[in-house]
Amino acid sequence: VTVITLLTDFGTADYFVGAMKGAILSVNPLAIIADITHEVPPQDIHSAAFTLLAAYKIFPPGTIHVAVVDPGVGSARRAIIVRAGEHFFVGPDNGLFTYIYNRESSHEIFHVTAENYFRQPPSTTFHGRDIFAPVAAALSTGVEVEAFGSVIVDAVRLENSLVPEVKDGRVEGRIIHIDHFGNCITNITRDVFDIGNGGSLVIKGETIRKIREFYADNDSNELFAIWGSAGFLEISINGSSAADRLRIKTGDRITGFTE
Amino acid sequence: VTVITLLTDFGTADYFVGAMKGAILSVNPLAIIADITHEVPPQDIHSAAFTLLAAYKIFPPGTIHVAVVDPGVGSARRAIIVRAGEHFFVGPDNGLFTYIYNRESSHEIFHVTAENYFRQPPSTTFHGRDIFAPVAAALSTGVEVEAFGSVIVDAVRLENSLVPEVKDGRVEGRIIHIDHFGNCITNITRDVFDIGNGGSLVIKGETIRKIREFYADNDSNELFAIWGSAGFLEISINGSSAADRLRIKTGDRITGFTE
Amino acid sequence: VTVITLLTDFGTADYFVGAMKGAILSVNPLAIIADITHEVPPQDIHSAAFTLLAAYKIFPPGTIHVAVVDPGVGSARRAIIVRAGEHFFVGPDNGLFTYIYNRESSHEIFHVTAENYFRQPPSTTFHGRDIFAPVAAALSTGVEVEAFGSVIVDAVRLENSLVPEVKDGRVEGRIIHIDHFGNCITNITRDVFDIGNGGSLVIKGETIRKIREFYADNDSNELFAIWGSAGFLEISINGSSAADRLRIKTGDRITGFTE
């Protein structure tokens, strides 16, 4: 059995997600379909790329991740399959998989051109249903990735907002995601910054000196930093929304002082 | 294996959808359950009928589609199974399946009366859990559709808002759905209207002369028409919401001039 | 095959739910995963406990219900497995399973300490992914519940808002849930209150004397009471939201007079 995950900006109120599942099951009724999310902000490729990075590795080897945030649907942008680590990724070549390329140094990218695996005739407006879902389903039945098209080396990459700038003992980071609880996820990882040794963080004029082990470490209404479950430093408040308190938005700057 | 799809107005915050899945899996643990949507506007049968029409045919032959938008639950309205094309539909007899009747000229409608397939005792308030889900699950295990009840010919039908009026070289259509991206789906299909030959559309006082092949055809902030993935003409703007721009609502009129 | 249900306050916009599914499928790719809901109000243990109570028994015997509403994640609160009736429950020991303890008089509670079943190394912030999901998945593969830890008798219980006070021919109840349609679910069950024999209910200054068999019993815009599908008395209006009309919130009082 093969797991196929879905990550889109389609929302869940329309027929779009159902149609993708139907297209997969029509090719491989034994595929196990798991939704990651369909609530990526419309056309926000950066947000989708972060969520995919945070989720993919938890799935079993061989999982096929279909990601469709695709403002260029129907235009000349390419459809691709990425083989990275023991996972596959299917979607548009618009930078969605940038963080996978960074994380998995050994990866190959295939330009999908074998139209016999598409739903016929493919529409110009819904490649999730007509190209990405049936291609992923065909891959899940054992078709070799090489059968879908040739390797390319010029895939589109996002300017990498996941790497903060480090200089003069300072880290210049960004908020890359705000989660359901109002935790503000930064692009700062442990290897570039250790707040533990007398360091501090400044965001929106507030200085944070506390790093905690877990959210409920104490009950005060105090801002703190915490290493989140995706490996990035987060700004949080126990039991309420740090994003609301400081009016933090995705893209906001955060500065870390290592001493 | 058999696929059972679910389409309701239950939302996803309550126990309702979980209960339907539990009721199905209790009868047939091998059924493959796929959500189409649970965010139909409360009690909006027209919206549900459109979404079902747009999604059903993409699923494999033999799929059982359970649709529950059911303001009359517990009253005298009948429970039905529809066999149409190679698909089955289970739900209340309130017009939900009108567009299926139109699209699939060869269909049969069965009045479900065999209470031995119901969860016992069935409630008067939640037939999704107590009647439609277990009936669909029994059907998925191979029970013949004839075993659930007799054929009827007087099923309830919606006044068919899917057919626009055509006269004097004009098409009088309606907006039948607004999707997650703000695209406004009309009830105009290719066979009744060809904007391509010098035609135009008027909605909310705006005249549209452009038809595009795909959303990202150019980057201007211009209104355009496009043949959408469900086969209907849509009014769109690249990268933003046409519905918000023109304050379009479901039910609004649109007029097409063929020359 | 074994069904694993998921009930959380994670929302569906982040990678959290996808990560739990990945963690389950990595241990047992044959597990059947069914979402109950992920839209429990953040950290609202009472709401989650009610939803779980309303849903669990509809699933097949042997189902494993994973519930994660976990403000104390990473702190000293215990992870537990509950065996009750023919179902299993996995989650934090914070009262989430109180209503299961009440409903299923024969139950056993195990403190999960066998770290070899955890994802390694477990984070301090996401036990849904690192502890509860993999433990449930291991249980679904046939590991005996006794292998995860020892029986405890001091599990945390909520003050039981599910039992209304009865005295002097009056029932003092509470609103315990408001559903998607605006129906207001009380904690009043049939065995403590029979409105049918000339009784009445008072909530927010309004007196209700009608009990109906089903929502569409008549078309007036009148408040009525109805025995809901989870076994509790509800306050409703046909076709609109009783909660909006009376500005009812979870926790509000309702008084029943039995004659």
Side-chain angles (χ1 to χ4, degrees), chain B residues 20-41:
Chain B
M20 286 187 68
K21 293 181 179 176
I24 289 169
L25 294 169
S26 288
V27 174
N28 183 3
L30 299 177
I32 294 168
I33 301 173
D35 298 303
I36 294 179
T37 184
H38 299 288
E39 293 166 43
V40 170

Side-chain angles (χ1 to χ4, degrees), chain B:
Chain B
V1 299
T2 303
V3 178
I4 298 177
T5 77
L6 301 180
L7 173 70
T8 77
D9 63 349
F10 293 166
T12 51
D14 291 296
Y15 70 91
F16 304 140
V17 174
M20 286 187 68
K21 293 181 179 176
I24 289 169
L25 294 169
S26 288
V27 174
N28 183 3
L30 299 177
I32 294 168
I33 301 173
D35 298 303
I36 294 179
T37 184
H38 299 288
E39 293 166 43
V40 170
Q43 313 199 339
D44 187 337
I45 297 169
H46 282 83
S47 173
F50 167 77
T51 300
L52 185 62
L53 178 70
Y56 81 99
K57 240 186 156 48
I58 302 153
F59 284 86
T63 295
I64 299 164
H65 303 278
V66 181
V68 189
V69 176
D70 193 14
V73 61
S75 70
R77 71 98 189 88
R78 297 173 294 195
I80 56 174
I81 302 175
V82 180
R83 178 165 59 192
E86 299 178 283
H87 293 256
F88 293 93
F89 302 84
V90 178
D93 177 31
N94 61 14
L96 257 181
F97 305 124
T98 301
Y99 306 155
I100 306 298
Y101 306 153
N102 296 347
R103 183 72 58 95
E104 302 280 356
S105 57
S106 167
H107 64 261
E108 287 175 296
I109 305 170
F110 299 82
H111 178 193
V112 176
T113 53
E115 299 186 7
N116 53 309
Y117 296 108
F118 299 176
R119 193 165 173 273
Q120 292 302 333
S123 69
T124 51
T125 56
F126 193 4
H127 286 186
R129 177 190 65 188
D130 298 341
I131 296 181
F132 303 124
V135 161
L139 192 59
S140 78
T141 63
V143 177
E144 294 294 326
V145 61
E146 290 81 2
F148 294 94
S150 304
V151 169
I152 58 172
V153 295
D154 61 344
V156 173
R157 285 160 182 267
L158 301 175
E159 280 189 61
N160 194 348
S161 64
L162 278 194
V163 180
E165 249 182 285
V166 183
K167 59 175 178 188
D168 307 337
R170 281 168 33 169
V171 180
E172 296 285 352
R174 297 259 183 200
I175 300 301
I176 54 173
H177 185 70
I178 292 168
D179 77 16
H180 180 65
F181 300 97
N183 301 309
C184 303
I185 291 94
T186 74
N187 60 350
I188 299 171
T189 49
R190 250 178 231 271
D191 53 328
V192 299
F193 183 68
D194 186 1
I195 192 180
N197 302 321
S200 61
L201 292 157
V202 177
I203 182 166
K204 294 267 185 175
E206 293 270 343
T207 300
I208 298 165
R209 296 185 187 283
K210 287 270 174 62
I211 188 157
R212 290 198 190 164
E213 285 290 312
F214 45 91
Y215 295 114
D217 212 354
N218 75 42
D219 285 327
S220 82
N221 196 23
E222 188 183 32
L223 281 165
F224 59 92
I226 185 167
W227 291 106
S229 56
F232 299 99
L233 198 67
E234 300 178 9
I235 305 304
S236 300
I237 301 174
N238 183 23
S240 69
S241 166
D244 285 354
R245 164 92 83 88
L246 295 188
R247 298 168 182 264
I248 294 171
K249 295 184 309 298
T250 298
D252 282 352
R253 292 171 181 282
I254 182 165
T255 307
F257 299 89
T258 55
E259 58 186 78

